[in-house]
Amino acid sequence: MKFAKSPAGTESKNRSAIPQPDKKSALLLVHLQNDFCPGGALAVAGGDQVIPVANACIQFFSREAFPIIATRDWHPENHCSFQAQGGPWPPHCVQGSRGSQFHPDLKMPPGTLIVSGATNPKKEAYSGFDGTSLEDRLEDVEAKTLFVLGLATDYCVKQTVLDACQRGFRVVVLEDGVRGIEAQPGDSQKAIQDMQTAGALIAHSADLGI
Ligand code: VGL
Ligand code: ZN
């Protein structure tokens, strides 16, 4: 296995051995949808800033023909997480709406596997594994290592990463490719720590030579 050099000053716990993508890797893009970007219904500050990072990773994985999977938050209009139903969130990512579409600058190649989540009106599901075919898709492509980026750090990225760690995947979170909702200041940093504690490696896209 090759190891990437970290840029000076970025070394920290778990940063010592960032694996490089190989054919047993998958790129997992979490919720790069309009509603989580500025102007969207549940906008994450700087959410659109992860799109260039995603595109660089996509280019790398496509060139090598390594698998790319995009999850999308895909709610029915009466989803229990919406305030009208007593939930915490404004309506967002309603199936088929403009807000539910992937960000227009995202260069998603043909062949990207799309996994839709949180489709049951009665159940919130932050993890991409919850009630979806994500684990089967990852088995199909024989992925062992997941490179994860997307929105939002403190909800769906975190839960997806924790579930992936629990399922035995090696997980690399690309820190420059995630942004959080920050319902409470510090939530994103705490989420990064929780993911690291669960065994995820925290890296920067530059660590991959991307
Ligand atoms: C998300 C809140 C509600 C997320 C989705 O993608 O992190 N957060 N729905
Ligand atoms: Zn949602």
Side-chain angles (χ1 to χ4, degrees), residues 31 36 42 73 75 89 92 124 126 151-152 155-157 181:
H31 297 176
F36 298 118
L42 184 43
D73 206 23
H75 296 309
W89 307 117
H92 62 279
E124 179 58 302
Y126 292 134
L151 305 169
Y155 290 90
C156 291
V157 171
I181 292 176

Side-chain angles (χ1 to χ4, degrees), residues 29-151:
L29 306 168
V30 178
H31 297 176
L32 295 176
Q33 293 164 277
N34 287 323
D35 270 342
F36 298 118
C37 291
L42 184 43
V44 175
D48 54 341
Q49 293 168 7
V50 308
I51 303 295
V53 180
N55 284 337
C57 293
I58 286 169
Q59 206 178 34
F60 180 93
F61 274 71
S62 305
R63 203 169 40 223
E64 305 286 343
F66 299 156
I68 302 172
I69 302 183
T71 66
R72 60 182 182 182
D73 206 23
W74 198 243
H75 296 309
E77 58 190 5
N78 60 343
H79 193 255
C80 62
S81 76
F82 297 168
Q83 280 148 1
Q85 267 62 240
W89 307 117
H92 62 279
C93 296
V94 172
Q95 297 169 7
S97 65
R98 195 187 161 277
S100 74
Q101 291 169 13
F102 291 112
H103 190 283
D105 296 341
L106 187 66
K107 299 200 179 88
M108 222 143 56
T112 302
L113 299 167
I114 296 175
V115 172
S116 303
T119 57
N120 179 342
K122 297 202 176 64
K123 195 171 173 296
E124 179 58 302
Y126 292 134
S127 165
F129 289 92
D130 192 348
T132 73
S133 60
L134 179 56
E135 190 160 24
D136 290 343
R137 297 287 83 76
L138 291 167
E139 268 172 29
D140 293 343
V141 299
E142 298 179 17
K144 306 279 180 255
T145 305
L146 309 183
F147 290 83
V148 183
L149 59 80
L151 305 169

